[in-house]
Structure formats: structure tokens, C-alpha cells
Amino acid sequence: MRSRSYDNPDLTPPWKRSTPAPEVAAERDLVVEEAGTGFCGAVVRVEKTAEGLTVTLEDRFGKHRVFPMEPRGFLIDGKPVTLVRPKAPGPRGPLLSASGSVAVTDAKARVARAGRIYVEGKHDAELVERVWGHDLRVEGVVVEFLEGVDDLPAIVDAFSPGPDARLGVLVDHLVPGSKESRIAASVTGSDVLVVGHPYIDVWEAVKPSSVGIPAWPRVPRGEDWKTGVCRSLGWQMSTGEAWQRILASVHTYKDLQPELLGRVEELIDFVTAP
């Protein structure tokens, strides 16, 4: 007689057969438990790496961990599942821009208005472009940067703002009693609007959860803030490289703090008002 071979799946006893786990799309905010470590968290993102697909989970304390998306690698309600990459969603209603406005897909960029929006530096300008770039091109609004708020009075004088050429300015760390607030008050008028956010630098206007950190660290007075942030977070990179990492984490307005969102929208409305 021939011996029974368990290499043949048809002859494997039922109690030795592994039941395939159901596949579940790793949609953002889906809460799962990693089977090997017991780490429980909500899905933040799915990424394709050289080793295969990975999923980033965020626990209730804001801690992020990355896991390979292996078969039967996760639990939902205590039952094993296989996470898979979510399918690209089909069209659902109007297409939205990164700022949350309805995207205009059939219009060319408008000729630049005489009005302008100024921001303090290159990083501010890049962040505004990333989220509001579509809106600004449709409205014909150009964004330029100051290289520091100290130059603002001279820039306003040279610009000569008027009803048809309004000037909007976004200032970092605009809090009562600061140097920035005094300069802003000296140039504000009917055709000049200066607004700001309370953060030391525009880096802080990006939500920590979007960057993958629990919070923006406090930097001792007297130390360069950006350098101190990199040191505290253990980022072995230049501040320029750190900014590119932060900027890459911004996809829509949802990745920014409301204190910045409201001010930029206010400036766009101001310079485009009839």
C-alpha cells in the first residue's frame, strides 16, 4: 500500500488546514491590532517599500509604528485578517483641491492680479503653494516672501497698495506685544491686511500627527529653533532636509492647524475682493 502523503492539500486532515483570513482594506482610521506585538492603533498610511507593503498605525497616545502587511498579520475584534492596500476611490461628487475648495479643471491660470500676498520666508511660501496653489492660480494671486518681517514697512511703501492692488501679509509668531505685532500695526490700513499665526515658525503649523511625531518639542530660548527641533527629535539631517520631510507629510488642509488655515483664507479673500 502507498502511504498517505500530507504534502497533497487534498489529503491534509481538516484540523491541520489553515483557514485563509479575510482580506480587509487598510483604510485610514481603521483600528487593528498587530498580531505579533499586540500593538493596537488606527491606520495612518499604507506605503510601498522595497520589502513590500507596510502600514503605519497610531495608538491612542499618538505613537506611530510601521508593520509589514503580512497575511494574517493583524486582528480585528480578536479575529485574524490580512490587510490589503485600499483601492483608489472612484469619482464621488465634485473634485476638491488640497485646500478643500471645488477644483476648477477646465480653466487656465488667470493673469496675475496687481494685489499680492507676502509671507515671511521660503518655507511659508512652499506650504501655502502646496495647499492653496490651485486656488491661487485660478484667482491670479501671486505669493512672494519677505526674508523677514523687518523689511515689511519698506516693501509696503514700494508696493503702493490701493483699492485695485491690495496687499495681504502672513506673519509668523504674531502675538500681542511682540516685535512682529508692532511692525504689523505700523503698516495696516484699508488696503493692507496683516494677519498671523501664533507659532514660532510655520513648521509648527503642520499637525504633529501628520509628521509622525507626538508633539513639536520646546526649544530653549537662545537656541536656533529649527536646529533645536531636529536635535530634540533625533533627526540627523540639516534643517533644509527636515523641512522637506515635513512638507512631504502635508497633503491637504487637514494636515494643517486651524490657526494657519483661517488666516490664509482671510488673505485670499482680502486681495481678491472686488
Side-chain angles (χ1 to χ4, degrees):
M1 290 182 59
R2 296 173 59 189
S3 61
R4 177 176 295 181
S5 172
Y6 290 117
D7 293 334
N8 185 338
D10 293 335
L11 301 178
T12 302
W15 61 87
K16 288 193 176 183
R17 297 176 188 171
S18 59
T19 304
E23 294 186 347
V24 177
E27 302 285 357
R28 187 178 179 90
D29 296 329
L30 174 71
V31 177
V32 298
E33 177 183 345
E34 202 278 325
T37 63
F39 185 90
C40 184
V43 172
V44 175
R45 67 180 66 89
V46 172
E47 296 176 300
K48 185 177 181 180
T49 69
E51 290 75 29
L53 292 177
T54 64
V55 61
T56 301
L57 303 181
E58 180 182 31
D59 69 8
R60 62 192 180 94
F61 302 107
K63 181 180 180 181
H64 285 206
R65 288 190 63 178
V66 180
F67 300 98
M69 292 170 59
E70 298 177 343
R72 303 177 62 88
F74 300 87
L75 304 177
I76 295 180
D77 295 331
K79 298 179 181 179
V81 299
T82 297
L83 291 185
V84 296
R85 192 172 196 170
K87 294 181 179 179
R92 297 180 181 177
L95 180 65
L96 301 181
S97 70
S99 70
S101 64
V102 176
V104 180
T105 58
D106 57 353
K108 296 181 179 179
R110 179 172 174 166
V111 175
R113 294 174 180 265
R116 290 287 188 275
I117 291 177
Y118 275 85
V119 296
E120 276 207 59
K122 180 181 178 182
H123 293 179
D124 306 65
E126 290 176 341
L127 187 60
V128 169
E129 164 61 27
R130 190 167 185 89
V131 176
W132 289 274
H134 171 82
D135 308 59
L136 294 169
R137 282 184 286 277
V138 170
E139 295 292 346
V141 178
V142 175
V143 175
E144 301 183 20
F145 57 90
L146 302 170
E147 292 284 10
V149 73
D150 292 339
D151 298 328
L152 184 56
I155 288 175
V156 172
D157 287 342
F159 188 83
S160 299
D164 297 325
R166 288 182 167 183
L167 185 62
V169 184
L170 178 68
V171 177
D172 296 342
H173 200 229
L174 190 61
V175 295
S178 65
K179 174 189 71 174
E180 290 82 0
S181 67
R182 292 191 293 271
I183 294 175
S186 71
V187 300
T188 298
S190 58
D191 301 311
V192 179
L193 175 64
V194 182
V195 299
H197 55 75
Y199 305 111
I200 295 174
D201 190 274
V202 77
W203 287 20
E204 279 192 296
V206 180
K207 291 180 179 178
S209 58
S210 296
V211 183
I213 59 176
W216 289 106
R218 293 189 176 184
V219 177
R221 181 181 291 272
E223 181 178 3
D224 177 73
W225 189 83
K226 293 175 181 176
T227 302
V229 166
C230 292
R231 174 188 54 76
S232 297
L233 295 176
W235 290 355
Q236 301 297 317
M237 59 183 71
S238 68
T239 56
E241 292 171 325
W243 169 243
Q244 291 307 312
R245 172 175 177 170
I246 296 166
L247 186 62
S249 70
V250 177
H251 304 288
T252 72
Y253 70 97
K254 295 179 182 180
D255 293 307
L256 302 181
Q257 300 286 10
E259 290 84 353
L260 177 66
L261 292 173
R263 303 295 75 76
V264 175
E265 297 284 353
E266 187 178 356
L267 290 177
I268 294 175
D269 290 343
F270 179 76
V271 300
T272 59

